[in-house]
């Protein structure tokens, strides 16, 4: 789905792979792999593509309006990562502009982003396994399995795993962040 959307947007903007590579700072080879569905791009790559097309992440993942209900099965979900060894997200919701739910996994010592950042959304995280540290502004919140946190995600924030075991969590974002 992402591969087809990127290819369609590139054609709509009249860009060759090399031109898109110049605009995004990504290699034409990587962009070709994304368009062919050979690789799952990192979150950073998807953000660069969204910026180049003048759109947001939700648009890049937008599907035709799904029939009701939408069933999401393990092994068949789009994956997003913030880079090797960092957070890996599975998209649990279809491509829509009103809500996104992700299942995240952070390895020990890893974070969802190098620095805290904010976006115009409301966010809720629920810890499924392990301990998740959530930094929001100057605050620190250590959440145990079963605990959750909701906040205005315009405040700079990020998630950390300061433990010695992987942490798994759900994140709901509305509207989805760019």
């Amino acid at each position: 789905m992402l591969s087809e959307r990127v290819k369609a947007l590139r054609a709509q903007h009249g860009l060759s792979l090399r031109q898109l590579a110049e605009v995004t700072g990504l290699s034409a080879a990587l962009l070709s792999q994304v368009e062919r569905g050979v690789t799952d791009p990192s979150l950073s790559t998807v953000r660069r593509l969204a910026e180049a097309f003048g759109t947001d992440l939700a648009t890049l993942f937008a599907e035709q309006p799904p029939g009701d209900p939408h069933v999401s099965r393990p092994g068949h979900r789009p994956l997003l990562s913030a880079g090797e060894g960092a957070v890996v997200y599975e998209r649990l919701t279809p491509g829509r502009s009103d809500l996104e739910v992700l299942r995240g996994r952070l390895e020990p010592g890893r974070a969802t982003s190098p620095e805290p950042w904010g976006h115009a959304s409301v966010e809720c995280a629920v810890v499924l396994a392990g301990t998740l540290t959530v930094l929001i502004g100057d605050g620190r919140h250590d959440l145990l399995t079963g605990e959750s946190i909701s906040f205005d995600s315009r405040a700079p924030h990020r998630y950390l795993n300061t433990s010695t075991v992987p942490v798994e969590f759900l994140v709901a974002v509305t509207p989805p962040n760019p």
Side-chain angles (χ1 to χ4, degrees), residues 52-102:
F53 294 133
T55 190
D56 57 30
L57 289 179
T59 300
L60 285 179
F61 287 100
E63 300 173 354
Q64 294 298 325
D68 201 19
H70 172 77
V71 176
S72 171
R73 291 190 167 85
H76 299 282
R77 298 176 181 142
L79 298 177
L80 299 170
S81 76
E84 192 171 324
V87 67
V88 174
Y89 288 117
E90 284 182 273
R91 276 183 85 225
L92 304 179
T93 49
R96 296 171 39 170
S97 62
D98 58 348
L99 171 69
E100 181 159 50
V101 179
L102 304 167

Side-chain angles (χ1 to χ4, degrees), residues 134-157:
V134 183
L135 302 179
I136 304 170
D138 294 331
R140 176 187 171 124
H141 309 273
D142 294 310
L143 305 177
L144 304 175
T145 300
E147 295 182 331
S148 65
I149 188 168
S150 299
F151 58 96
D152 182 334
S153 45
R154 289 178 292 190
H157 63 282

Side-chain angles (χ1 to χ4, degrees), residues 115-134:
E115 297 294 326
W117 68 289
H119 48 89
S121 302
V122 174
E123 200 159 322
C124 176
V126 180
V127 181
L128 301 174
T131 301
L132 181 67
T133 298
V134 183

